Amino acid sequence: MRDVLVPIHDDAGQQSRLQAAFDLVRASQGRLLCVDLVEPEAKRASAARGGSLVMEAEVAPLTTVRDLIEASGVSVQWIERRDDMLPAISELAALADLIVMSAPRADLFPPTYAAISELLVSANTPIVAMPPESPGLCLNGEALICWDGSRGAHHAMVAAIPLLRRASAVTILEIDDGSLKLPASQAQTLLAQRNIAAQVRSDRAFGEKAAFLILEQIALLKADYVVMGGFGHSRLVETIFGGVTERLLHESPVPLFLKH
């Protein structure tokens, strides 16, 4: 995971996004792809007649952030896009091994829930969703893998292996809603073959109870991040972002590693 893409914008989630991106790039000796998002002129003009004043309000904080990033010592590539977040990040997703975005909160620019859900479906790039209050991504901490036996859970776990190798402990939380096809013991074996030791915890849950159990385990284990794929009771009805995943994106106190 050498190329890490992160949107740059002066909003409440920027600090946590940047710190997570720094953590990832330094660990892999990789490159930071900074997408400087600037609203198109037409949108700025319609939002306020003094469009130049809107631009001036953004220049100062972004200049400060650019200086901070340039002084960080990591390899950086700057990419400017005069577009909304979703089309800009969608276009650039193929350049990155991982995308760092903010988990949806009411005060973030712009509302990120729709962008994350669309990106996970349209792009083949994992996303780390950062709570705005998070101090960064603790790569040497405890990882919690959500397992429902689905192909999505398997793909998310495999994609996260470079991170899981660094974790101090790995727990696979198996939640059976009655449709479990592959037990967590098989995921445990796959990780063991890659020299990653993991313990398994199992429970049965239906619907929203699964989200409650995951949040409970985050607190009990003091997990530093969660790995999960499309996780829900009925994947045909709920789609990738029904129920459990949506609640975790809005409520998880720790970063989420997501892969469709």
Side-chain angles (χ1 to χ4, degrees):
M1 296 184 179
R2 293 183 55 81
D3 290 332
V4 178
L5 188 151
V6 59
I8 302 298
H9 191 277
D10 186 31
D11 66 274
Q14 180 165 261
Q15 184 174 349
S16 64
R17 288 196 307 272
L18 269 180
Q19 188 56 58
F22 285 153
D23 294 337
L24 288 159
V25 169
R26 286 171 176 149
S28 65
Q29 297 182 332
R31 180 178 57 158
L32 190 62
L33 305 178
C34 293
V35 184
D36 188 350
L37 293 170
V38 181
E39 287 189 51
E41 295 289 346
K43 288 197 173 184
R44 285 208 302 273
S46 63
R49 291 183 180 179
S52 60
L53 296 178
V54 177
M55 187 65 177
E56 287 174 9
E58 289 187 352
V59 167
L62 285 179
T63 301
T64 303
V65 170
R66 184 182 288 263
D67 292 341
L68 172 67
I69 294 172
E70 295 291 351
S72 67
V74 303
S75 175
V76 182
Q77 177 181 343
W78 284 92
I79 306 169
E80 183 173 307
R81 283 292 184 273
R82 293 183 176 274
D83 208 343
D84 292 327
M85 178 187 288
L86 180 56
I89 301 300
S90 295
E91 178 186 344
L92 298 167
L95 301 177
D97 299 308
L98 188 67
I99 301 171
V100 178
M101 298 184 67
S102 292
R105 299 293 192 271
D107 57 347
L108 295 187
F109 159 85
T112 53
Y113 174 71
I116 291 175
S117 60
E118 289 287 339
L119 279 172
L120 277 175
V121 173
S122 62
N124 194 33
T125 308
I127 293 175
V128 171
M130 295 295 299
E133 65 275 11
S134 176
L137 184 59
C138 183
L139 299 177
N140 298 322
E142 172 129 359
L144 177 64
I145 301 171
C146 297
W147 184 262
D148 64 349
S150 69
R151 184 162 38 178
H154 175 267
H155 285 321
M157 182 184 71
V158 171
I161 282 176
L163 301 186
L164 297 174
R165 291 187 192 280
R166 297 177 176 274
S168 60
V170 177
T171 299
I172 304 171
L173 177 60
E174 178 187 80
I175 299 181
D176 185 1
D177 67 355
S179 64
L180 187 71
K181 294 181 179 179
L182 293 176
S185 58
Q186 293 194 24
Q188 185 181 36
T189 298
L190 184 149
L191 292 178
Q193 291 170 345
R194 290 155 178 78
N195 298 315
I196 300 172
Q199 62 170 327
V200 174
R201 296 191 175 198
S202 301
D203 210 327
R204 289 182 63 84
F206 298 88
E208 285 298 307
K209 186 185 176 185
F212 171 79
L213 287 174
I214 295 169
L215 290 168
E216 182 181 61
Q217 288 300 313
I218 291 172
L220 288 174
L221 295 170
K222 295 181 171 58
D224 292 285
Y225 65 91
V226 173
V227 175
M228 63 187 302
F231 200 89
H233 176 59
S234 171
R235 293 162 193 82
L236 291 176
V237 175
E238 291 185 334
T239 74
I240 185 173
F241 272 76
V244 175
T245 314
E246 179 177 0
R247 181 174 174 186
L248 284 170
L249 270 169
H250 284 90
E251 297 183 24
S252 173
V254 300
L256 302 178
F257 180 98
L258 301 161
K259 179 74 165 65
H260 180 33

